[in-house]
Amino acid sequence: MNKSILITGCSTGIGYYVAKHLSQRGYQVFATARKAEDVARLNNEGLNSFQLDLDNSESIQLATDWVLEQTHGKLFALFNNGAYGQPGAIEDLSREVLREQLETNLLGWHELTCKLLPVMRRQGEGRIIQNSSVLGLITMKFRGAYNTSKFALEGYSDTLRQELDGTGIYVSLIEPGPVRSEFRANAYAKFQANINIENSPFRRTYEGVVSRLSNADPQKEDPFTLGPEAVLKRVIHALESKRPQPRYYVTTPTYLLGWLKRFVSTRVLDRILIRASGSENS
């Protein structure tokens, strides 16, 4: 196949799985990660890897230069995947914490995308694949920062797709529900680092969350959780179809909640989602 693709967030989970399997499929994969030790591990495993910190403009420029040097100024696809979730009630999020969520999950993606779009325009073809979330379609309590970043990504990607109409560059959103990865563990670490439990009106709720997560069975997971191969399937379609879909739903919860958003009122949907996220009271 010999088509090239840059993937962000390849240290674990979806990015790692997609990078490995696209490489096996014949793509020229450039697998980036934020930490130097992850880059070293990926290179040792046979992937072509480079350090990329989406919060750092210099890092984004260096990674872009590296990829284009490797490909002689060409790139077929970009899979924006590197992201994290910051849990916590909206009123417990400082401006800085919310800014950090947006820097990584949206603004870093924007900067990287804008550096690569001129390359795709010169080629007359390209694919931009955005790994969004079911939480870019619906909201849930205590996921406000992540919801905000993914709702913004949805609007951003829809606008970009319209603006690129007729260029041969296609923009697709992938919208997973629960997928097996390190996402929850990383989110819990962000919760511990940035949320002041003691001074929150949601203290009792948070204490319950901490107790539940600290005693959770790592082998037990949501029955609707799928492996990263479910995302890979959609990425392949977005890369290889002549007319990629604007949106790809992944997992049963995404299909169900996407349907509910279309056909029930906001008030009814609120009640469903509040019930689904538990009876958390201040």
Side-chain angles (χ1 to χ4, degrees):
M1 204 163 284
N2 293 323
K3 287 186 175 179
S4 56
I5 179 169
L6 170 62
I7 305 175
T8 66
C10 294
S11 59
T12 60
I14 290 170
Y16 176 73
Y17 189 91
V18 169
K20 293 281 283 188
H21 285 77
L22 287 184
S23 180
Q24 294 169 10
R25 196 174 175 86
Y27 283 87
Q28 185 182 17
V29 174
F30 300 98
T32 65
R34 182 173 58 88
K35 296 180 180 178
E37 55 266 34
D38 289 323
V39 171
R41 173 175 54 82
L42 293 169
N43 279 317
N44 288 336
E45 292 181 14
L47 287 168
N48 199 359
S49 185
F50 194 84
Q51 194 167 3
L52 171 56
D53 182 350
L54 289 165
D55 295 345
N56 186 296
S57 293
E58 182 180 1
S59 179
I60 291 171
Q61 184 63 61
L62 288 172
T64 301
D65 293 343
W66 169 73
V67 168
L68 296 181
E69 181 180 358
Q70 298 281 314
T71 62
H72 306 290
K74 297 181 179 181
L75 186 74
F76 177 67
L78 167 64
F79 180 31
N80 278 316
N81 167 74
Y84 72 93
Q86 171 63 64
I90 283 177
E91 66 187 283
D92 290 330
L93 302 172
S94 70
R95 180 172 182 164
E96 185 57 34
V97 167
L98 185 57
R99 180 187 291 116
E100 289 172 359
Q101 180 79 108
L102 294 172
E103 285 287 350
T104 301
N105 290 17
L106 180 70
L107 301 180
W109 294 23
H110 168 67
E111 186 172 356
L112 180 60
T113 299
C114 288
K115 288 187 180 298
L116 295 172
L117 273 173
V119 174
M120 295 180 180
R121 282 184 175 276
R122 287 195 299 269
Q123 297 167 171
E125 66 170 357
R127 303 291 163 97
I128 297 169
I129 305 170
Q130 313 273 55
N131 198 21
S132 185
S133 170
V134 65
L135 294 180
L137 301 176
I138 56 91
T139 59
M140 294 192 78
K141 292 190 293 183
F142 307 112
R143 281 87 162 177
Y146 190 70
N147 274 134
T148 298
S149 71
K150 291 305 183 181
F151 266 71
L153 177 66
E154 296 276 327
Y156 174 98
S157 300
D158 284 345
T159 305
L160 184 61
R161 186 180 63 253
Q162 294 169 9
E163 292 172 352
L164 293 174
D165 182 57
T167 65
I169 305 168
Y170 293 90
V171 179
S172 297
L173 285 154
I174 296 181
E175 291 157 337
V179 171
R180 206 171 297 117
S181 71
E182 298 295 318
F183 185 87
R184 290 173 184 169
N186 293 335
Y188 183 45
K190 288 290 185 181
F191 172 80
Q192 291 178 304
N194 295 321
I195 300 300
N196 186 336
I197 296 177
E198 295 301 318
N199 293 327
S200 171
F202 298 97
R203 175 178 172 178
R204 284 187 298 165
T205 298
Y206 288 156
E207 288 173 346
V209 170
V210 169
S211 176
R212 188 165 62 250
L213 290 177
S214 60
N215 294 299
D217 181 354
Q219 302 302 317
K220 188 177 181 181
E221 59 186 23
D222 187 298
F224 295 111
T225 298
L226 297 180
E229 64 276 4
V231 176
L232 173 66
K233 180 180 177 181
R234 272 63 167 195
V235 171
I236 290 172
H237 190 278
L239 287 170
E240 299 179 8
S241 172
K242 290 183 179 179
R243 289 176 59 88
Q245 297 175 21
R247 280 177 170 77
Y248 292 89
Y249 284 7
V250 185
T251 74
T252 298
T254 303
Y255 281 99
L256 174 60
L257 292 168
W259 183 88
L260 286 171
K261 185 177 175 67
R262 290 176 61 192
F263 294 109
V264 305
S265 71
T266 298
R267 184 171 286 116
V268 170
L269 185 59
D270 274 353
R271 302 320 304 171
I272 292 171
L273 294 171
I274 290 169
R275 203 171 297 123
S277 59
S279 55
E280 294 129 344
N281 300 307
S282 60

